[in-house]
Amino acid sequence: MRKSNKMLVKMLSLLLVIVMVVSVLYGCKKSSSSSESKKEKSEETIKVGILHSLSGTMSISEVSLKDAELMAIEEINNNGGVLGKKLEPIVEDGASDWPTFAEKAKKLLQKDKVAVIFGCWTSASRKAVLPVVEENNGLLFYPVQYEGLESSPNIFYMGAAPNQQIVPAVKWLFDNGKKRFYLLGSDYVFPRTANKIIKAYLKYLGGVVVGEEYTPLGHTDYSSVINKIKAAKPDVVFNTLNGDSNVAFFKQLKDAGIDAKTLPVMSVSIAEEEIKGIGPEYLKGHLVAWNYFQSVDTPENKEFVEKYKKKYGEDRVTDDPIEAAYIGVYLWAKAVEKAGSTDVDKVREAAKGIEFNAPEGPVKIDGDNQHLYKTVRIGEILENGQIRELWKTNEPVKPDPYLKGYEWAKGLSEQ
């Protein structure tokens, strides 16, 4: 009887051990399956970052860029995604604050592991993000015209280089009898560098700068500046103000009795979106230089404008940075498909020479500096808020961010 009991105890003990082993193995298998499931789920999408000022002084311009990028992502996803995977946007707010842009870019690259960032507007925000993308070997697709004198292997520049906006705008004004310039800008890198270029070129042409003034981003009292402009008697004001400072300046300019016939203002940061925010009644007749207007007559643009309005409302407008933000997503997707990978080095190599029939017309990525070939346009603001094209180049202009092709610009990049 004792022997039977001992045998029973041994059998029960063995059975218990077997049960425990099976449970552990099942648990491991379940845990492994769960981990694999999570891994598979994370690999089903390609994460991409969107980083713009959704609050603060620059939100007047940047919210619509976010909208355009999300629309492009949705369209690409509806057409099968990239490399057979859906794009998963992660949106962050740079809040019109340059350190915040750097912090959010770091978060997107290190924590979220995004394959690319579409974002920034001001050169100050781009300059803050530049070392972050370089140190983490990330990619930034930057959608706005800028002052040039920069070329990073980790940035693709979708907006105009200075020879595709600032320089032709100065030449057009000079050729149309505007030889006395007053330079007005926001106090940060783009306006100050742009004005160095303008002064050098104007000196070469035989023109003169009769005044130069900078105000902080978000500045709203332009009464003293307008008095200085009146006293200087320029032929034209070359305006590089950014954000909602333009609202205050143009309203106060009109209140002072100055309109486009009295004194035209050439702006390089005001497009249809800003015109809508400021009010076309304050801007009628004034001038702008861009690569794209909503009124551009191409089949691609007609389709783009219709889709944008259908998605966001008939009262919404498209403009140059919006279009550049939109095509940036498509150009990155084309480079990834060509590379067969989201690996930054492979994408960079694959992007060289890629062409795209954009709403603005044909564009191409320059393999040397990662800027775009773009058509240059000068326009006049109409009372309905649209822009009438006055002049354009016959074909897309090769980007020259360091103005190497201009004798008068030698030494500017060292300043």
Side-chain angles (χ1 to χ4, degrees):
M1 191 72 179
R2 281 183 185 174
K3 193 174 179 180
S4 292
N5 287 339
K6 284 182 180 181
M7 286 292 291
L8 184 60
V9 169
K10 282 183 179 181
M11 288 175 68
L12 288 172
S13 299
L14 181 61
L15 184 60
L16 183 60
V17 169
I18 291 170
V19 169
M20 289 174 66
V21 170
V22 170
S23 297
V24 169
L25 289 173
Y26 178 74
C28 289
K29 185 178 179 181
K30 188 176 180 181
S31 176
S32 175
S33 298
S34 177
S35 297
E36 287 175 10
S37 176
K38 285 180 181 177
K39 185 178 179 184
E40 286 173 6
K41 189 175 181 181
S42 68
E43 291 177 349
E44 286 174 2
T45 63
I46 298 173
K47 292 182 179 179
V48 298
I50 292 179
L51 178 57
H52 288 295
S53 294
L54 309 180
S55 59
T57 186
M58 289 307 303
S59 62
I60 185 176
S61 297
E62 293 192 60
V63 169
S64 292
L65 273 63
K66 177 262 297 179
D67 291 343
E69 288 154 357
L70 288 175
M71 186 173 89
I73 288 168
E74 182 180 306
E75 289 172 3
I76 290 169
N77 284 342
N78 289 341
N79 283 290
V82 177
L83 300 178
K85 298 178 181 180
K86 300 285 188 179
L87 301 180
E88 179 186 344
I90 298 174
V91 181
E92 294 289 351
D93 181 8
S96 305
D97 178 67
W98 325 141
T100 300
F101 267 92
E103 175 192 327
K104 296 293 188 179
K106 189 174 181 180
K107 181 253 182 189
L108 286 168
L109 292 170
Q110 293 185 356
K111 182 181 177 183
D112 299 312
K113 306 292 184 185
V114 298
V116 63
I117 296 172
F118 303 104
C120 301
W121 175 294
T122 66
S123 288
S125 62
R126 188 193 69 254
K127 293 285 189 186
V129 169
L130 186 151
V132 178
V133 292
E134 289 186 343
E135 288 164 12
N136 292 276
N137 196 28
L139 274 183
L140 170 67
F141 271 67
Y142 177 65
V144 186
Q145 46 69 239
Y146 82 119
E147 72 282 354
L149 310 183
E150 178 183 297
S151 181
S152 168
N154 296 88
I155 299 179
F156 282 83
Y157 303 80
M158 299 292 100
N163 73 305
Q164 297 166 316
Q165 186 193 36
I166 296 168
V167 172
V170 172
K171 182 68 164 61
W172 186 88
L173 288 168
F174 190 86
D175 289 347
N176 282 273
K178 311 302 181 186
K179 296 178 171 59
R180 293 169 56 83
F181 281 49
Y182 196 103
L183 307 180
L184 174 62
S186 297
D187 193 6
Y188 73 101
V189 61
F190 165 64
R192 287 191 175 275
T193 306
N195 285 340
K196 283 181 182 179
I197 293 169
I198 292 169
K199 285 185 286 185
Y201 189 33
L202 205 55
K203 182 179 179 181
Y204 170 80
L205 291 173
V208 61
V209 173
V210 297
E212 184 174 359
E213 193 80 21
Y214 299 93
T215 60
L217 279 165
H219 189 70
T220 57
D221 184 1
Y222 283 90
S223 55
S224 63
V225 172
I226 290 169
N227 286 334
K228 289 178 184 178
I229 292 172
K230 282 182 175 179
K233 298 181 179 178
D235 297 326
V236 64
V237 174
F238 203 104
N239 171 35
T240 50
L241 292 174
N242 258 286
D244 53 13
S245 289
N246 278 303
V247 179
F249 171 66
F250 278 99
K251 287 184 176 180
Q252 290 167 35
L253 194 68
K254 186 177 181 183
D255 289 344
I258 300 173
D259 58 18
K261 290 181 181 178
T262 312
L263 177 63
V265 178
M266 169 67 82
S267 299
V268 289
S269 292
I270 288 179
E272 289 88 339
E273 181 77 2
E274 289 75 29
I275 294 167
K276 186 170 177 283
I278 296 167
E281 65 271 24
Y282 298 102
L283 294 162
K284 180 186 174 184
H286 288 296
L287 305 166
V288 293
W290 289 105
N291 308 112
Y292 166 89
F293 303 136
Q294 183 177 303
S295 57
V296 166
D297 187 16
T298 67
E300 292 82 7
N301 187 45
K302 184 179 179 182
E303 181 184 1
F304 171 60
V305 173
E306 285 177 355
K307 288 190 298 188
Y308 190 81
K309 287 179 172 289
K310 183 178 180 181
K311 184 168 180 61
Y312 294 116
E314 280 298 317
D315 63 328
R316 294 288 294 271
V317 293
T318 60
D319 66 20
D320 187 292
I322 290 172
E323 187 256 5
Y326 175 80
I327 68 174
V329 180
Y330 273 96
L331 285 166
W332 171 81
K334 283 172 71 73
V336 171
E337 290 285 0
K338 184 179 173 183
S341 169
T342 58
D343 177 81
V344 170
D345 296 328
K346 292 178 181 178
V347 171
R348 183 189 298 118
E349 187 62 29
K352 293 179 179 179
I354 280 183
E355 299 180 0
F356 184 62
N357 286 324
E360 68 185 79
V363 298
K364 181 174 75 172
I365 297 177
D366 189 294
D368 295 327
N369 54 45
Q370 298 181 174
H371 291 64
L372 295 184
Y373 282 71
K374 296 174 79 73
T375 300
V376 184
R377 293 177 164 91
I378 307 290
E380 176 189 3
I381 299 170
L382 303 176
E383 59 187 354
N384 66 356
Q386 288 298 300
I387 298 170
R388 179 170 67 94
E389 185 178 277
L390 301 176
W391 174 88
K392 74 169 184 174
T393 54
N394 293 326
E395 58 186 22
V397 175
K398 177 180 171 62
D400 185 2
Y402 289 93
L403 298 172
K404 292 178 180 178
Y406 299 86
E407 184 67 29
W408 55 265
K410 287 192 183 302
L412 277 173
S413 59
E414 283 82 37
Q415 292 182 17

